[in-house]
Amino acid sequence: RTRGTDVNIAISQKTKLYKSGKKTVLDLFCAAGDFDADKAVSAVNEACDAGYDKCLARHVKAWNVKFKDTWVDFDENPAIVQGFNFGQMHLNMAVDSVWTQTGVPIKGLTGHGYRFAVFWDMDFHMFPYYLYTKPDFAKLILQYRYGQIDKYRENAARWNAKGVQVPWETQNDGREVTAPWLCLQEREIHISADASYMFKLYDDITGDHDAMVEMGAEFIMETGRFYISRIRWSDKNRRYELPDIGCPDQYHTFADNNFFISVLAAWNIRYAIELAQDPQYKGAVRKIGLDDAELSEWRKIIGNFYVPKPGRNGIIEEFDGYFKLSEDLGGISELYCSHSQAVKQPDVLAGFAYFEDEYSLDIRRRNYRFYVDKTIHGSSLSLPGNAFCGARCGLNDEALYYLGRSCRMDLDDVNLDTERGVHMSGYAVQWFAVVNGFGGLTLKKDAVCLSYNLPRQWSKLDYSFYWKGQHIFIQIDSNGINVLSDKGNKIKIPVVYKRKKYLLAPGKKIKLRK
Ligand code: IFM
């Protein structure tokens, strides 16, 4: 029984020693008992009686079922494919219906690094992966966040803010557990919008609208209220700004107007206003006591809120004053970098992920080239992030380079920290780099959009995903894209390719030429 949380853990173990020809074999069986010691014992007895070969066959069968939804097939170098699949295995292992209280810690349950805490890695990096491949698990993540909403209200109040402030790091009980000396508890505030965006994505892509009515609307309006309470009027610039934040890039903790945070905060406030005006959410509006006067204040603020824009050369300044920092990255290390333009992971590129349509390909490419040169990869998030962003910009050679390095991160222990647990978020972003980047997939509320972007080094790429509860399979080769709808699907799927719309019936296939 765990000390703080009173949870029963039941694991039993049994060995079997026998002769097989000239060999003496020792088999070791182990079973976890669904929190119940008797069940653990009977499971291990049953496994021992069945024997090793039968257990192995069952194991393979069970994994094939799990992998079916997340399987991706591409003909990269085997070491990279191996690393990619290793990651998929961990993403599959990290979720189960028993884990509603834990969220998805950044190391899964594989190591003590970061004390099993949940960060934005779950909301921003891993959630979309589960949404596309295992929507039921995605809903559990929403329930986990919503289940802690009262603690998040208390968290906002700790900093004299209003509404809901999601802690930068939390565990089972929703309390903030980030080490105070990092000065991030009150500054790493994008996580509230990262969490809210999950509810929108889930609503758009699954069509299961209950989650928005029962949880999402309240959550989004409350995080919108939180940002409003953090925004300040600048007399100097005659606009509303978001000062005193910690950049997600992790090397600039005391900054103003960070692009990533402001772009997400702006989305959050606008979406909160939209929901508040929609009669179907009036229960949530009443519950949080949002009245017309407060709403019109929100409108006034968002109408004149500053989000950094591309400059004349197309580059977006990550935060106020970033361009004036030292460009000399020689000798830069984690402990010596805040005076420079070095970033652990590039915020501006991450900011494009949800708002790609608002920035032209040319702007995204220019920012990609600028910021990958500033990235010193102190985090496991930067390699797959660069792969994803590069592939979405059609810069496939660069993207492949980053994907390869990312896929080997744990198997080769690149950052010398795998002993503290594997890098779960990187695995999810690898999937996105392959499927959304090279696979050309964009899921929208009203359609599945595809484009052709197979790397010249690959001859094929197969993957599958869920949209509105329908399972869809994609096969790409040098001729084009085949889109297959599972036989068990119920509705016709709108597929958009080269600006043309197709309707794909259950069990049918369409061929899209390159
Ligand atoms: O959440 C990340 C952070 O952005 C960079 N440092 C590691 C954390 C966990 O992956």
Side-chain angles (χ1 to χ4, degrees):
R1 180 171 280 271
T2 56
R3 262 182 281 154
T5 42
D6 265 357
V7 176
N8 279 337
I9 310 277
I11 299 173
S12 70
Q13 199 172 288
K14 189 167 180 176
T15 50
K16 187 166 158 185
L17 186 67
Y18 56 97
K19 284 253 176 229
S20 168
K22 284 188 180 161
K23 288 189 210 154
T24 301
V25 182
L26 177 73
D27 288 341
L28 174 92
F29 297 88
C30 189
D34 200 11
F35 309 127
D36 176 329
D38 291 341
K39 282 193 194 160
V41 171
S42 67
V44 88
N45 281 334
E46 196 279 325
C48 191
D49 291 346
Y52 177 85
D53 291 338
K54 233 185 187 170
C55 286
L56 177 64
R58 283 189 209 157
H59 172 84
V60 170
K61 199 168 160 203
W63 270 104
N64 283 340
V65 172
K66 273 196 171 239
F67 263 134
K68 192 174 141 259
D69 297 332
T70 55
W71 184 251
V72 180
D73 201 6
F74 54 106
D75 51 354
E76 240 310 334
N77 158 339
I80 292 174
V81 174
Q82 180 194 38
F84 181 87
N85 286 332
F86 178 77
Q88 298 309 298
M89 179 186 79
H90 278 291
L91 287 161
N92 269 289
M93 276 164 54
V95 292
D96 200 285
S97 48
V98 297
W99 83 185
T100 49
Q101 285 176 49
T102 61
V104 191
I106 60 169
K107 306 264 177 206
L109 298 178
T110 65
H112 64 277
Y114 291 107
R115 297 154 290 119
F116 302 103
V118 169
F119 291 62
W120 71 314
D121 301 53
M122 176 181 82
D123 314 66
F124 187 74
H125 300 88
M126 292 192 259
F127 175 82
Y129 168 83
Y130 291 117
L131 176 66
Y132 280 39
T133 58
K134 295 182 181 295
D136 293 348
F137 286 136
K139 190 161 188 179
L140 292 177
I141 295 178
L142 300 183
Q143 286 163 344
Y144 165 76
R145 279 296 189 210
Y146 184 74
Q148 300 188 335
I149 195 168
D150 288 334
K151 285 282 171 211
Y152 301 169
R153 287 191 172 103
E154 287 170 22
N155 192 38
R158 286 171 65 223
W159 305 106
N160 293 323
K162 295 200 177 117
V164 153
Q165 178 178 356
V166 177
W168 176 233
E169 298 180 39
T170 190
Q171 295 159 327
N172 288 14
D173 59 9
R175 274 182 314 116
E176 172 66 88
V177 295
T178 311
W181 57 267
L182 287 169
C183 301
L184 293 175
Q185 292 194 359
E186 65 278 41
R187 285 191 183 75
E188 200 67 274
I189 56 170
H190 57 90
I191 190 168
S192 296
D194 302 336
S196 271
Y197 208 93
M198 298 194 294
F199 290 95
K200 173 183 161 40
L201 279 179
Y202 184 86
D203 194 47
D204 284 356
I205 286 166
T206 64
D208 166 11
H209 191 50
D210 292 352
M212 184 57 94
V213 177
E214 289 158 16
M215 305 183 280
E218 179 185 344
F219 203 97
I220 293 167
M221 287 189 276
E222 283 284 54
T223 53
R225 181 181 257 167
F226 162 71
Y227 288 111
I228 290 284
S229 75
R230 286 293 309 254
I231 287 173
R232 299 280 175 269
W233 171 254
S234 160
D235 264 341
K236 183 170 149 228
N237 298 321
R238 313 296 305 157
R239 64 191 183 200
Y240 289 98
E241 300 188 343
L242 196 39
D244 202 11
I245 44 69
C247 298
D249 85 12
Q250 302 245 308
Y251 291 162
H252 304 97
T253 301
F254 303 94
D256 300 330
N257 297 317
N258 170 275
F259 171 71
F260 182 86
I261 303 182
S262 296
V263 95
L264 271 144
W267 163 80
N268 196 150
I269 295 165
R270 286 205 180 92
Y271 206 60
I273 295 173
E274 197 179 315
L275 297 178
Q277 289 163 332
D278 187 334
Q280 55 178 323
Y281 306 120
K282 61 174 190 272
V285 171
R286 209 176 305 121
K287 181 171 175 196
I288 68 166
L290 177 60
D291 59 23
D292 288 346
E294 191 176 352
L295 252 186
S296 62
E297 177 73 2
W298 291 10
R299 280 194 209 96
K300 185 181 96 195
I301 291 176
I302 198 63
N304 192 10
F305 176 58
Y306 170 61
V307 176
K309 297 209 168 21
R312 267 210 232 125
N313 57 359
I315 309 301
I316 299 170
E317 187 168 35
E318 188 192 287
F319 57 87
D320 289 358
Y322 173 86
F323 289 148
K324 293 204 187 100
L325 299 179
S326 166
E327 289 175 53
D328 178 6
L329 306 190
I332 286 297
S333 75
E334 288 242 35
L335 297 175
Y336 177 69
C337 54
S338 58
H339 64 286
S340 78
Q341 293 185 353
V343 296
K344 196 172 191 177
Q345 64 226 0
D347 294 355
V348 171
L349 306 189
F352 293 149
Y354 292 147
F355 307 103
E356 202 184 81
D357 293 348
E358 293 169 31
Y359 300 91
S360 68
L361 181 62
D362 177 54
I363 292 290
R364 285 186 285 120
R365 281 190 174 176
R366 282 168 190 248
N367 281 277
Y368 179 82
R369 299 227 184 276
F370 182 83
Y371 281 106
V372 294
D373 284 349
K374 313 287 181 197
T375 308
I376 62 171
H377 303 294
S379 157
S380 63
L381 300 176
S382 56
L383 294 170
N386 287 359
F388 171 77
C389 188
R392 290 296 291 187
C393 292
L395 300 170
N396 287 358
D397 284 359
E398 288 99 318
L400 268 185
Y401 164 76
Y402 288 114
L403 177 72
R405 284 181 61 194
S406 171
C407 287
R408 295 303 302 177
M409 169 74 67
D410 284 316
L411 290 178
D412 295 342
D413 199 7
V414 173
N415 281 4
L416 302 178
D417 64 353
T418 301
E419 160 269 335
R420 301 175 67 223
V422 299
H423 297 88
M424 299 282 296
S425 352
Y427 301 148
V429 183
Q430 286 161 21
W431 191 91
F432 270 91
V434 173
V435 167
N436 294 59
F438 302 133
L441 176 71
T442 306
L443 290 188
K444 301 230 159 143
K445 187 173 185 169
D446 54 355
V448 169
C449 304
L450 287 162
S451 60
Y452 188 90
N453 191 37
L454 192 68
R456 64 193 169 88
Q457 296 85 342
W458 296 4
S459 65
K460 65 162 191 174
L461 165 60
D462 297 350
Y463 61 86
S464 81
F465 61 91
Y466 285 88
W467 182 82
K468 310 273 172 187
Q470 315 300 298
H471 200 183
I472 300 153
F473 298 83
I474 303 290
Q475 299 165 335
I476 307 177
D477 63 22
S478 53
N479 298 316
I481 308 176
N482 286 334
V483 191
L484 294 86
S485 169
D486 193 80
K487 270 200 226 105
N489 286 347
K490 302 268 175 330
I491 58 170
K492 288 190 177 162
I493 298 154
V495 177
V496 177
Y497 183 67
K498 294 190 179 171
R499 299 206 180 138
K500 214 170 144 195
K501 196 166 186 171
Y502 304 80
L503 270 185
L504 177 63
K508 299 285 183 212
K509 162 168 157 180
I510 45 177
K511 290 184 176 190
L512 306 169
R513 284 189 178 279
K514 186 175 167 186

PDB file of all heavy atoms in Angstrom, residues 333-347:
ATOM      1  N   SER A 333      26.284  26.738 -22.236  1.00  0.00           N
ATOM      2  CA  SER A 333      25.839  25.516 -21.561  1.00  0.00           C
ATOM      3  C   SER A 333      24.531  25.847 -20.853  1.00  0.00           C
ATOM      4  O   SER A 333      24.158  27.012 -20.753  1.00  0.00           O
ATOM      5  CB  SER A 333      26.874  25.049 -20.552  1.00  0.00           C
ATOM      6  OG  SER A 333      26.811  25.907 -19.426  1.00  0.00           O
ATOM      7  N   GLU A 334      23.891  24.838 -20.315  1.00  0.00           N
ATOM      8  CA  GLU A 334      22.600  25.023 -19.634  1.00  0.00           C
ATOM      9  C   GLU A 334      22.681  26.096 -18.545  1.00  0.00           C
ATOM     10  O   GLU A 334      21.742  26.806 -18.298  1.00  0.00           O
ATOM     11  CB  GLU A 334      22.181  23.714 -18.978  1.00  0.00           C
ATOM     12  CG  GLU A 334      21.757  22.680 -19.987  1.00  0.00           C
ATOM     13  CD  GLU A 334      20.318  22.284 -19.789  1.00  0.00           C
ATOM     14  OE1 GLU A 334      19.502  23.129 -19.420  1.00  0.00           O
ATOM     15  OE2 GLU A 334      20.039  21.093 -19.992  1.00  0.00           O
ATOM     16  N   LEU A 335      23.824  26.155 -17.869  1.00  0.00           N
ATOM     17  CA  LEU A 335      23.934  27.076 -16.745  1.00  0.00           C
ATOM     18  C   LEU A 335      24.421  28.454 -17.180  1.00  0.00           C
ATOM     19  O   LEU A 335      24.478  29.378 -16.384  1.00  0.00           O
ATOM     20  CB  LEU A 335      24.914  26.514 -15.698  1.00  0.00           C
ATOM     21  CG  LEU A 335      24.476  25.197 -15.078  1.00  0.00           C
ATOM     22  CD1 LEU A 335      25.546  24.651 -14.166  1.00  0.00           C
ATOM     23  CD2 LEU A 335      23.176  25.410 -14.292  1.00  0.00           C
ATOM     24  N   TYR A 336      24.774  28.575 -18.438  1.00  0.00           N
ATOM     25  CA  TYR A 336      25.341  29.827 -18.909  1.00  0.00           C
ATOM     26  C   TYR A 336      24.760  30.112 -20.285  1.00  0.00           C
ATOM     27  O   TYR A 336      25.347  29.778 -21.294  1.00  0.00           O
ATOM     28  CB  TYR A 336      26.871  29.678 -18.977  1.00  0.00           C
ATOM     29  CG  TYR A 336      27.594  30.884 -19.515  1.00  0.00           C
ATOM     30  CD1 TYR A 336      27.651  32.063 -18.787  1.00  0.00           C
ATOM     31  CD2 TYR A 336      28.210  30.836 -20.770  1.00  0.00           C
ATOM     32  CE1 TYR A 336      28.309  33.174 -19.300  1.00  0.00           C
ATOM     33  CE2 TYR A 336      28.868  31.943 -21.279  1.00  0.00           C
ATOM     34  CZ  TYR A 336      28.914  33.108 -20.541  1.00  0.00           C
ATOM     35  OH  TYR A 336      29.557  34.198 -21.052  1.00  0.00           O
ATOM     36  N   CYS A 337      23.586  30.673 -20.306  1.00  0.00           N
ATOM     37  CA  CYS A 337      22.955  30.867 -21.616  1.00  0.00           C
ATOM     38  C   CYS A 337      21.937  31.993 -21.659  1.00  0.00           C
ATOM     39  O   CYS A 337      21.598  32.464 -22.732  1.00  0.00           O
ATOM     40  CB  CYS A 337      22.296  29.571 -22.069  1.00  0.00           C
ATOM     41  SG  CYS A 337      21.175  28.934 -20.844  1.00  0.00           S
ATOM     42  N   SER A 338      21.455  32.465 -20.503  1.00  0.00           N
ATOM     43  CA  SER A 338      20.319  33.391 -20.565  1.00  0.00           C
ATOM     44  C   SER A 338      20.681  34.732 -21.210  1.00  0.00           C
ATOM     45  O   SER A 338      19.799  35.473 -21.630  1.00  0.00           O
ATOM     46  CB  SER A 338      19.724  33.615 -19.181  1.00  0.00           C
ATOM     47  OG  SER A 338      20.724  34.105 -18.331  1.00  0.00           O
ATOM     48  N   HIS A 339      21.975  35.043 -21.301  1.00  0.00           N
ATOM     49  CA  HIS A 339      22.395  36.300 -21.940  1.00  0.00           C
ATOM     50  C   HIS A 339      22.399  36.160 -23.473  1.00  0.00           C
ATOM     51  O   HIS A 339      22.641  37.116 -24.183  1.00  0.00           O
ATOM     52  CB  HIS A 339      23.830  36.647 -21.508  1.00  0.00           C
ATOM     53  CG  HIS A 339      24.818  35.626 -21.994  1.00  0.00           C
ATOM     54  ND1 HIS A 339      24.923  34.370 -21.430  1.00  0.00           N
ATOM     55  CD2 HIS A 339      25.702  35.653 -23.017  1.00  0.00           C
ATOM     56  CE1 HIS A 339      25.844  33.681 -22.086  1.00  0.00           C
ATOM     57  NE2 HIS A 339      26.329  34.431 -23.047  1.00  0.00           N
ATOM     58  N   SER A 340      22.168  34.940 -23.934  1.00  0.00           N
ATOM     59  CA  SER A 340      22.355  34.675 -25.366  1.00  0.00           C
ATOM     60  C   SER A 340      21.043  34.261 -26.037  1.00  0.00           C
ATOM     61  O   SER A 340      20.020  34.066 -25.381  1.00  0.00           O
ATOM     62  CB  SER A 340      23.372  33.543 -25.552  1.00  0.00           C
ATOM     63  OG  SER A 340      22.729  32.315 -25.295  1.00  0.00           O
ATOM     64  N   GLN A 341      21.131  34.104 -27.351  1.00  0.00           N
ATOM     65  CA  GLN A 341      19.942  33.668 -28.110  1.00  0.00           C
ATOM     66  C   GLN A 341      19.773  32.152 -28.099  1.00  0.00           C
ATOM     67  O   GLN A 341      18.884  31.625 -28.778  1.00  0.00           O
ATOM     68  CB  GLN A 341      20.050  34.162 -29.556  1.00  0.00           C
ATOM     69  CG  GLN A 341      19.955  35.679 -29.657  1.00  0.00           C
ATOM     70  CD  GLN A 341      19.938  36.174 -31.091  1.00  0.00           C
ATOM     71  OE1 GLN A 341      20.119  35.406 -32.037  1.00  0.00           O
ATOM     72  NE2 GLN A 341      19.724  37.464 -31.257  1.00  0.00           N
ATOM     73  N   ALA A 342      20.599  31.451 -27.330  1.00  0.00           N
ATOM     74  CA  ALA A 342      20.466  29.985 -27.291  1.00  0.00           C
ATOM     75  C   ALA A 342      19.106  29.597 -26.723  1.00  0.00           C
ATOM     76  O   ALA A 342      18.624  30.211 -25.771  1.00  0.00           O
ATOM     77  CB  ALA A 342      21.560  29.390 -26.411  1.00  0.00           C
ATOM     78  N   VAL A 343      18.473  28.605 -27.317  1.00  0.00           N
ATOM     79  CA  VAL A 343      17.227  28.072 -26.749  1.00  0.00           C
ATOM     80  C   VAL A 343      17.381  26.569 -26.590  1.00  0.00           C
ATOM     81  O   VAL A 343      18.086  25.913 -27.355  1.00  0.00           O
ATOM     82  CB  VAL A 343      15.990  28.392 -27.631  1.00  0.00           C
ATOM     83  CG1 VAL A 343      15.761  29.896 -27.708  1.00  0.00           C
ATOM     84  CG2 VAL A 343      16.105  27.797 -29.025  1.00  0.00           C
ATOM     85  N   LYS A 344      16.674  26.061 -25.587  1.00  0.00           N
ATOM     86  CA  LYS A 344      16.711  24.620 -25.368  1.00  0.00           C
ATOM     87  C   LYS A 344      15.846  23.953 -26.429  1.00  0.00           C
ATOM     88  O   LYS A 344      16.159  22.922 -26.979  1.00  0.00           O
ATOM     89  CB  LYS A 344      16.145  24.374 -23.966  1.00  0.00           C
ATOM     90  CG  LYS A 344      16.403  23.033 -23.368  1.00  0.00           C
ATOM     91  CD  LYS A 344      15.927  23.062 -21.912  1.00  0.00           C
ATOM     92  CE  LYS A 344      16.390  21.850 -21.143  1.00  0.00           C
ATOM     93  NZ  LYS A 344      15.972  21.940 -19.740  1.00  0.00           N
ATOM     94  N   GLN A 345      14.694  24.590 -26.653  1.00  0.00           N
ATOM     95  CA  GLN A 345      13.785  24.139 -27.715  1.00  0.00           C
ATOM     96  C   GLN A 345      13.126  25.391 -28.286  1.00  0.00           C
ATOM     97  O   GLN A 345      12.872  26.332 -27.539  1.00  0.00           O
ATOM     98  CB  GLN A 345      12.757  23.154 -27.156  1.00  0.00           C
ATOM     99  CG  GLN A 345      11.848  23.758 -26.135  1.00  0.00           C
ATOM    100  CD  GLN A 345      11.678  22.885 -24.899  1.00  0.00           C
ATOM    101  OE1 GLN A 345      12.245  21.821 -24.801  1.00  0.00           O
ATOM    102  NE2 GLN A 345      10.881  23.342 -23.956  1.00  0.00           N
ATOM    103  N   PRO A 346      12.896  25.443 -29.595  1.00  0.00           N
ATOM    104  CA  PRO A 346      12.448  26.711 -30.198  1.00  0.00           C
ATOM    105  C   PRO A 346      10.949  26.987 -30.046  1.00  0.00           C
ATOM    106  O   PRO A 346      10.117  26.334 -30.660  1.00  0.00           O
ATOM    107  CB  PRO A 346      12.813  26.539 -31.677  1.00  0.00           C
ATOM    108  CG  PRO A 346      13.066  25.087 -31.889  1.00  0.00           C
ATOM    109  CD  PRO A 346      13.169  24.391 -30.578  1.00  0.00           C
ATOM    110  N   ASP A 347      10.648  28.001 -29.240  1.00  0.00           N
ATOM    111  CA  ASP A 347       9.245  28.345 -28.960  1.00  0.00           C
ATOM    112  C   ASP A 347       8.484  28.787 -30.206  1.00  0.00           C
ATOM    113  O   ASP A 347       7.303  28.489 -30.360  1.00  0.00           O
ATOM    114  CB  ASP A 347       9.185  29.517 -27.974  1.00  0.00           C
ATOM    115  CG  ASP A 347       9.719  29.143 -26.614  1.00  0.00           C
ATOM    116  OD1 ASP A 347      10.044  27.959 -26.414  1.00  0.00           O
ATOM    117  OD2 ASP A 347       9.803  30.036 -25.765  1.00  0.00           O
TER     118      ASP A 347
END
